[in-house]
Amino acid sequence: MPFRLTLTAALLCGTAALAQQTDLTIALQLEPPHLDPTSAAAGAIDSVLYSNVFEGLTRFTETGAIVPGLAQSWDISEDGLSYTFTLAPGVTFHDGTSFDAEDVKFSLDRARAEDSTNAQKALYEGITEVTVVDPLTVRLTLDLPDGNLLFNLAWGDAVIVSPESIEAIKSAPVGTGPFRFSEWKQGDSITLVRNESYWGAAPSLTEATFKFISDPTAAFAAMMAQDIDAFAGFPAPENLPLFDADPRFQVLRGTSEGETILAMNNKQPPFDNPMVREAVGHAINRQAIIDGAMYGLGTPIGTHFAPHNPDYVDLTGLTPYDPDRARMLLVDAGYAEGFTTTLKLPPPSYARRGGEIIAAQLRDVGIQTEITNLEWAQWLEEVFKGKDFGLTIVSHTEPFDIGIYARPDYYFQYDNPVFQQKWATLSATSDPVQRSALLAELQTIIARDRVNGFLFQLAFPTVADARLEGLWVNAPTQATDLSGVRWTQ
């Protein structure tokens, strides 16, 4: 009898040891300021919620392709002014309310409303009317043809929200996705749980906890101790070789849509002077920043466009590193003795580490910087909304976002009617050859205007437990899609 009990216990222990793990703890560097992706510019919100909690009519895949989301299909009128979407049936929000065309109308009308705080409101202003045809059919009418509409509807800013839950969306988001919001321990973590009533393919994970670790040293320690299962966008690239050599881990080296720029306030002296902006551009050694701040991870850029895009034009040669040229331009601009400006840095390591390197490079040509380190919410309020800055460093992780240069009220305040007109022409153009030509012109205009200091395309390294499958390698949008993630043993 004792032997039989011992054997049974051993079998039970063995079964437990082989049980498939279904929970995940994944770390990110930035914590969202709140949880409404439709009313803030913070990509950290999408990093947690996109395709996990919230869904749109269309969505991005890991490759950047646009595929159906809550819309099963769509028809486009011959004149390009009407898009009719057929919605997926049997979809419910996490609060149990049904999803239908009225919710689409509510969400898109809210995004484009006069008092909308949607960070990408301009993308949806061309929609003149959203019409409910029937519960599973909705029609969007445009004032002009928009070749980017399906792309724009895939952004996190265009997800469909529940009208019944809108008052509490910033702290208790309700979507239609494969995971439901469970808990937010501010300053620490956000927990999602599997949506057992999900309309699509059920995820393997039953629970996912997003931990927020801003310090690169702490990120390395937590990963090495296996206190976390993965870190998406690992912030300490100098440590990647250590994880490569450890069989417990896998390192995924991907690319992102993150154009990292030294943004200049184009309406604030002295950066309202094109010669000063050009001087700043020549003072910057892109490769030294990539090597010093990112340990070699990153691709130099000369304009605001992703190098992996087939329409990318390499314009790095327009503003090469040339400190002597920078000093001459400052003399010609009336700043022979240089000047002092602010350099306000958000938390990511590319900004904090890169900021120190850039400050030294600018100092070498006579430009002194007063560095202020800001938390993400402070940066959004002070720099992005308040436009109270001279210089700042940020990576724009939104896909295909060169259109921000057509918005004079955007935080760096670039106002060029020629660019604005060409962007409007691009939006109304569907021919691929014509679009490629226009995109080349747009890239060249902002590069020649030296609107910002174009630094590098942000790499996207992820460190994860070797047993995990389904994590995105690349980041075509700022998202941590867990719908296909699973443990292999």
Side-chain angles (χ1 to χ4, degrees):
M1 182 66 70
F3 173 76
R4 292 181 61 189
L5 286 173
T6 302
L7 179 60
T8 301
L11 289 172
L12 288 173
C13 289
T15 301
L18 294 173
Q20 186 77 27
Q21 184 172 346
T22 61
D23 65 311
L24 176 75
T25 300
I26 186 167
L28 304 174
Q29 191 174 25
L30 297 180
E31 180 175 16
H34 60 73
L35 303 180
D36 178 10
T38 66
S39 66
I45 303 173
D46 284 348
S47 290
V48 175
L49 303 179
Y50 185 87
S51 285
N52 293 326
V53 172
F54 287 114
E55 300 173 298
L57 293 177
T58 59
R59 65 183 295 268
F60 293 108
T61 69
E62 185 194 350
T63 66
I66 306 299
V67 297
L70 290 171
Q72 285 187 323
S73 61
W74 46 84
D75 293 310
I76 306 172
S77 63
E78 288 189 10
D79 61 7
L81 296 177
S82 177
Y83 285 67
T84 302
F85 293 89
T86 300
L87 307 179
V91 180
T92 58
F93 285 101
H94 299 151
D95 60 3
T97 58
S98 61
F99 159 80
D100 59 26
E102 292 287 354
D103 300 306
V104 176
K105 177 175 173 57
F106 171 82
S107 299
L108 295 181
D109 284 350
R110 175 173 173 263
R112 64 192 185 90
E114 186 174 343
D115 61 350
S116 169
T117 57
N118 193 300
Q120 303 302 332
K121 176 183 175 181
L123 296 180
Y124 314 112
E125 288 178 338
I127 301 172
T128 59
E129 187 176 7
V130 182
T131 305
V132 174
V133 179
D134 60 48
L136 291 180
T137 310
V138 64
R139 179 178 300 117
L140 274 56
T141 304
L142 312 181
D143 58 355
L144 293 170
D146 185 355
N148 296 324
L149 183 67
L150 296 175
F151 184 92
N152 294 343
L153 291 174
W155 285 48
D157 306 82
V159 294
I160 307 304
V161 297
S162 165
E164 292 82 359
S165 67
I166 203 67
E167 294 302 319
I169 188 173
K170 290 188 175 182
S171 58
V174 172
T176 58
F179 295 95
R180 295 185 294 106
F181 170 76
S182 176
E183 183 182 21
W184 184 8
K185 296 178 181 177
Q186 294 199 17
D188 180 68
S189 63
I190 291 174
T191 299
L192 310 179
V193 296
R194 183 164 63 192
N195 174 17
E196 300 296 347
S197 302
Y198 184 52
W199 61 278
S204 295
L205 299 176
T206 57
E207 181 175 292
T209 297
F210 289 84
K211 293 279 290 184
F212 305 112
I213 305 174
S214 60
D215 179 66
T217 302
F220 172 72
M223 196 72 237
M224 192 59 74
Q226 296 188 289
D227 294 333
I228 54 178
D229 301 312
F231 201 121
F234 188 72
E238 66 273 20
N239 296 141
L240 295 181
L242 296 174
F243 292 109
D244 280 324
D246 192 325
R248 297 178 298 163
F249 304 107
Q250 57 181 312
V251 178
L252 309 177
R253 288 175 171 83
T255 186
S256 79
E257 290 290 324
E259 292 90 3
T260 307
I261 63 173
L262 175 66
M264 295 182 255
N265 195 331
N266 281 230
K267 279 196 174 179
Q268 175 179 297
F271 303 112
D272 57 345
N273 187 327
M275 284 193 291
V276 171
R277 298 198 301 270
E278 184 177 355
V280 169
H282 284 298
I284 294 170
N285 185 332
R286 297 182 182 94
Q287 194 59 52
I289 299 166
I290 294 170
D291 292 341
M294 304 305 296
Y295 290 80
L297 284 180
T299 304
I301 56 173
T303 189
H304 198 109
F305 215 70
H308 55 254
N309 191 299
D311 288 318
Y312 174 71
V313 180
D314 184 358
L315 297 166
T316 52
L318 273 181
T319 314
Y321 175 55
D322 188 344
D324 290 334
R325 174 68 177 156
R327 296 184 192 99
M328 290 175 57
L329 284 164
L330 289 175
V331 171
D332 292 343
Y335 294 95
E337 302 302 318
F339 60 87
T340 299
T341 188
T342 59
L343 176 56
K344 299 188 176 183
L345 304 174
S349 52
Y350 67 76
R352 298 282 172 87
R353 293 175 174 180
E356 296 291 342
I357 297 169
I358 287 175
Q361 293 176 351
L362 294 178
R363 191 182 311 121
D364 183 51
V365 302
I367 301 173
Q368 306 297 323
T369 56
E370 298 172 351
I371 294 180
T372 304
N373 290 331
L374 301 176
E375 293 307 310
W376 194 243
Q378 291 176 291
W379 187 92
L380 288 169
E381 189 63 32
E382 197 170 312
V383 176
F384 188 82
K385 292 182 182 178
K387 305 177 179 66
D388 180 15
F389 74 104
L391 299 171
T392 188
I393 300 173
V394 68
S395 191
H396 286 258
T397 54
E398 298 87 355
F400 192 71
D401 60 351
I402 194 172
I404 58 179
Y405 290 81
R407 306 181 201 171
D409 61 344
Y410 204 65
Y411 77 98
F412 45 70
Q413 303 188 89
Y414 172 63
D415 190 355
N416 183 336
V418 174
F419 185 96
Q420 294 158 23
Q421 181 55 53
K422 287 189 180 294
W423 177 254
T425 302
L426 175 74
S427 297
T429 301
S430 57
D431 180 79
V433 175
Q434 293 178 22
R435 286 179 63 85
S436 293
L438 284 165
L439 283 169
E441 290 183 53
L442 290 169
Q443 292 173 65
T444 303
I445 290 172
I446 60 173
R448 291 192 182 280
D449 281 353
R450 278 80 178 188
V451 183
N452 294 309
F454 303 109
L455 305 178
F456 60 89
Q457 195 70 10
L458 192 67
F460 190 75
T462 294
V463 180
D465 189 296
R467 299 168 295 162
L468 279 172
E469 284 187 350
L471 290 165
W472 279 14
V473 176
N474 299 311
T477 188
Q478 195 156 340
T480 315
D481 186 345
L482 301 180
S483 60
V485 175
R486 68 185 186 93
W487 292 92
T488 59
Q489 53 180 287

